[in-house]
Amino acid sequence: MSGFRTRLVSLTRKEFRQLLRDRSNLAIGILLPMVLILIFGYGMSLDVKNAPVGVVLEDPSPTAHEAMAGLQLSPTIAPVLLGSMHDAEALMRERKIDGIVRVPSDFSRALAAGNAHVQLIVHGADAGRATIIQAYVSGALAQSAVRQADRGGGSTGADAPAAGRVTVEQRMWFNAANTSTWYLVPGLIVLIMTLVGAFLTALVMAREWERGTLEALFVTPVRPVEILLAKIIPYFAVGMLGLALCLLAARFLFAVPMYGSLLAVVLSSMLYLIVAVSLGLVISSVTRNQFLASQVALIVTFMPSMMLSGFLFDLRNVPTAVRVIGHVLPATYFMDLIKTLFLAGDVWPLIWRNCTVLVAYAVGLLLLARVVTRKSLD
Amino acid sequence: MIDFLLRVANLCKKELLAIFKDPASRVILFVPAIMQSLVFGYAATYDLSNVPYALLDQSRTGASSELIAHLDSTGVFHRVATLRTQADIREVIDTEKALLVIQIAPNFEQQLSAGQSAAIQLILDARNSNTAGSAAGYVSAVVERYNAELRARAGAPPAPLTIESRAWFNPNLETRWNLLPGLIAALSMLQTLLLTALSVAREREQGTFDQLLVTPMSPLEIMIGKALPPVLVGLAQSTLILLVALFWFGIPMAGSLVTLYTGLVFFTVASVGIGLSISAVSANMQQAMLYTFVLLMPMMLLSGLTTPVRNMPHVLQVITMANPLRFAIDLVQRVYLEGVGLATVWHNLIPLSIIAIVTLPLAAWLFRHRLV
């Protein structure tokens, strides 16, 4: 046992030295997390703010002006008054504006008669953004029209029969500020753990395989387990450093709340890091070639953990086949876990469920890594 | 001149052989591009198709079940639980059993029949604020339809204002329509950058680059010979994704292929220039890959693929000026969806050309004057 420890310690020390010697490792371990934190916190936002929308008032009456006044109140859109439909369409083609609201010349007369029409055209190139603008503009216009009609009488006046109306009071739990930063920053932890764990490990190990230095190590008295452990430990440390950076940034730079316990966040991140590192080990010993390992790691880690983990797109709304792929990826379970821990708190049934899956992945992948590594010795 | 072309052609041939000699890399360069565009094409949707909800109906009246019937008939909402008390709400939301809870107060029907407004409570799981926002929008739309019905039944005139809504360039507002054209540029960039960065780094690691340097070839010829094969691979990958978008997802292309490919050629050459510069400063393959990755991630995130560039703070918008992907995505999306010609998108070609004009000679110079 003491032989195990001495060998492990000296091997690990060697690996650490190797890691620190190469600037590119530090770039991916420290520089990349920092750059990503800044991009995710400041640069990426799915919220629509001050979207320019052209308003063409073909009816210059005060009624029409007042109906449009409702548009000015929110931070979602920024209405711009335009002279003609021709100008508006030209601006829209240049993507200078995201939408056009056209108020026809008979608007105030029609509103008094209770059948006014307003035309809304949105630029559909960014569908998500367009939908939000569409919903917002229709809501604001309908509200101000109802208010005006109620006040001004007309055919909706007091003599008309009253009809009940259902209104919706909505409450957003877990994200009161309703800002995408709150779920982008926790999601970042998943990306960084995946990158450092799976990508970096896969690359470094593939290099050893390609050069044959791993086989050279196998003929020394050290056992494969010791070699694997010594390889894992430094990258595990780099991953934890990335985690620390993310947590500090979430707390002090972006003020993302953490309702769950810090301990749960750290422990589950460590668990996922083990999964990611083992995945890297498996990829490298199956490919044994740096080019292939990097491509495979890229394809099974980076893009899917962004696109398929439920990070940006909700997995409930995708076709079954895609949902199955999403649920094969360990990143999906960690994403669910980390978002819940940050924004909802220690929801134990969820924590147990996701952690059990991650433990199963860790055990399975480590065993697999051990098996594919042993084969090489035969 | 003929010698020049011959030497370049020979080096290109050798490089292409090096790329395609290994069956595994033949597969890895093309199959994932197709698979990813298929999977992401399906995955990328902000439209809701399956919203599990829980109902807390404290009114239990004809009116409340009528409203809920409207909701159920959309096919989007599926009731997963019927709650009895307010205390049950936390559990279904916390454990993600339901995305939202609809709470209807006991006096719901009385208020409605008295001609007053009656509020329903909507509690949403906003762990993903995007999904929550869309779900709230869907519920509001259903409620508005129900209100219109109530008005009609009471004999009240319909709402005084109707809004006719139309979307240009993407009539059904599908997220897929703007994502897939973006992927034509983004997915091919992932692999062309790596491929290029590795091509010189590998030779350097194996020592064959020195042999290349002592041949009669000039640095310019070496650079062109090294740059052309990845450009071809990148364009082939883009073509595959374009075919998936056109024929699998049936997204109509409004613009011309000539404009699209002109843009893609500029873009791929610029990416290859970056890849070659990376490989010229890297001592070995591992460094080349890691540096590529350190550049690639921010380039993907700051490209406008997943979040619009206009939402970014000014400083980051300035940084995106050095990102070829940002210009390629703008160009491809606009040509594909809006059908604009070169006259409208030519401004994207300038930064792409500048990136290529800076990086390619830099790489050629670095080949000679090895820094590492």
Side-chain angles (χ1 to χ4, degrees), chain A residues 121-139:
Chain A
I121 305 168
V122 288
H123 199 298
D126 185 341
R129 189 179 174 86
T131 314
I132 293 172
I133 293 171
Q134 208 178 39
Y136 177 75
V137 172
S138 337

Side-chain angles (χ1 to χ4, degrees), chain A residues 40 182-192 311 335 338-339:
Chain A
F40 271 65
W182 280 21
Y183 70 89
L184 288 176
V185 171
L188 176 65
I189 296 178
V190 181
L191 266 186
I192 289 183
F311 173 44
M335 185 71 77
I338 206 88
K339 263 200 295 194

Side-chain angles (χ1 to χ4, degrees), chain A residues 22-25 27-28 32 35-36 39-40 42-47 89 92-95 98 107 111 114-127 129-131 134 138 141-142 145 149 155-156 160-175 178-180 183 195 199-200 203-204 207 210-211 290-292 294-296 298-299 302-303 306-308 310-314 316-319 322 325 336 339-340 343-344 347 349-350, chain B residues 22 24-25 28-29 32 36 39-40 42-50 52 67 89-90 93-96 99 108 112 115-133 136 143-144 146-147 150-151 154-170 173-175 178-179 187 190-191 194-195 198 202 205 284-287 289-291 293-294 297-298 300-302 306-308 310-313 316 334 337-338:
Chain A
D22 192 337
R23 270 169 304 161
S24 63
N25 286 325
I28 213 159
L32 189 59
V35 170
L36 290 180
I39 293 177
F40 271 65
Y42 293 116
M44 288 182 78
S45 169
L46 297 160
D47 313 322
E89 286 186 11
M92 183 101 132
R93 275 184 217 290
E94 289 168 40
R95 273 208 94 166
D98 286 326
F107 177 77
L111 189 66
N115 61 352
H117 290 266
V118 165
Q119 203 183 12
L120 167 64
I121 305 168
V122 288
H123 199 298
D126 185 341
R129 189 179 174 86
T131 314
Q134 208 178 39
S138 337
L141 287 183
S155 64
T156 48
R165 224 186 115 66
V166 182
T167 56
V168 181
E169 282 170 16
Q170 70 183 50
R171 285 168 55 205
M172 297 277 190
W173 275 14
F174 313 132
N175 192 345
N178 201 19
T179 140
S180 48
Y183 70 89
L195 265 182
F199 190 75
L200 196 56
L203 270 191
V204 174
R207 179 180 157 91
E210 197 172 311
R211 293 180 149 191
Q290 292 187 74
F291 173 66
L292 284 181
S294 71
Q295 295 282 339
V296 172
L298 200 63
I299 288 157
F302 168 53
M303 289 301 274
M306 243 177 78
M307 305 291 289
L308 299 178
F311 173 44
L312 291 171
F313 307 104
D314 201 309
R316 278 183 283 234
N317 301 307
V318 302
V322 178
I325 299 175
D336 190 36
K339 263 200 295 194
T340 298
L343 299 176
V347 182
L350 245 162
Chain B
D22 178 12
S25 66
I28 207 99
L29 283 175
Q36 290 188 85
V39 172
F40 298 161
Y42 280 116
T45 176
Y46 291 118
D47 308 325
L48 304 182
S49 55
N50 175 17
L67 176 65
I89 296 178
R90 178 156 285 280
I93 296 268
D94 275 358
T95 56
E96 295 179 332
L99 178 68
F108 181 73
L112 275 188
Q116 295 165 337
S117 63
I120 59 167
Q121 283 272 346
L122 190 60
I123 294 127
L124 296 135
D125 171 2
R127 262 167 275 193
N128 184 330
S129 61
N130 233 346
T131 313
V143 167
E144 277 320 306
Y146 182 65
N147 281 335
L150 288 178
R151 286 179 86 97
L161 177 72
T162 40
I163 292 140
E164 293 156 20
S165 203
R166 213 147 49 86
W168 275 8
F169 312 124
N170 183 358
L173 289 179
E174 288 178 58
T175 322
N178 61 304
L179 182 90
L187 282 185
L190 279 177
Q191 287 182 311
L194 260 182
L195 194 62
L198 288 183
R202 179 188 290 125
E205 193 169 324
N284 52 46
M285 289 169 79
Q286 188 182 320
Q287 281 190 359
M289 275 184 273
L290 294 179
Y291 288 140
F293 221 72
V294 170
M297 294 268 305
M300 291 287 281
L301 296 171
L302 294 178
T306 44
T307 60
R310 276 187 296 169
N311 275 14
M312 295 167 194
L316 284 178
R334 299 198 63 182
L337 292 176
E338 300 171 30

Side-chain angles (χ1 to χ4, degrees), chain A residues 79-285:
Chain A
V80 201
L81 210 57
L82 297 173
S84 70
M85 211 43 202
H86 182 264
D87 294 352
E89 286 186 11
L91 283 177
M92 183 101 132
R93 275 184 217 290
E94 289 168 40
R95 273 208 94 166
K96 295 263 165 60
I97 53 176
D98 286 326
I100 305 173
V101 179
R102 179 194 192 182
V103 183
S105 53
D106 63 345
F107 177 77
S108 44
R109 204 159 21 90
L111 189 66
N115 61 352
H117 290 266
V118 165
Q119 203 183 12
L120 167 64
I121 305 168
V122 288
H123 199 298
D126 185 341
R129 189 179 174 86
T131 314
I132 293 172
I133 293 171
Q134 208 178 39
Y136 177 75
V137 172
S138 337
L141 287 183
Q143 266 179 19
S144 69
V146 167
R147 266 201 310 275
Q148 274 191 316
D150 285 351
R151 224 174 332 125
S155 64
T156 48
D159 52 326
R165 224 186 115 66
V166 182
T167 56
V168 181
E169 282 170 16
Q170 70 183 50
R171 285 168 55 205
M172 297 277 190
W173 275 14
F174 313 132
N175 192 345
N178 201 19
T179 140
S180 48
T181 314
W182 280 21
Y183 70 89
L184 288 176
V185 171
L188 176 65
I189 296 178
V190 181
L191 266 186
I192 289 183
M193 298 276 116
T194 312
L195 265 182
V196 174
F199 190 75
L200 196 56
T201 311
L203 270 191
V204 174
M205 291 296 285
R207 179 180 157 91
E208 303 255 353
W209 282 112
E210 197 172 311
R211 293 180 149 191
T213 46
L214 210 57
E215 266 110 338
L217 267 182
F218 283 148
V219 297
T220 63
V222 290
R223 294 197 313 243
V225 182
E226 293 159 5
I227 298 173
L228 287 184
L229 274 178
K231 285 275 173 200
I232 291 173
I233 292 168
Y235 297 100
F236 191 82
V238 174
M240 292 314 282
L241 187 69
L243 175 71
L245 286 173
C246 287
L247 289 178
L248 288 173
R251 182 104 183 80
F252 296 107
L253 223 49
F254 307 115
V256 180
M258 195 202 282
Y259 291 112
S261 55
L262 182 64
L263 188 68
V265 171
V266 173
L267 286 180
S268 58
S269 303
M270 286 168 79
L271 179 58
Y272 180 68
L273 196 53
I274 295 175
V275 174
V277 168
S278 334
L279 188 63
L281 287 180
V282 172
I283 292 175
S284 61
S285 40

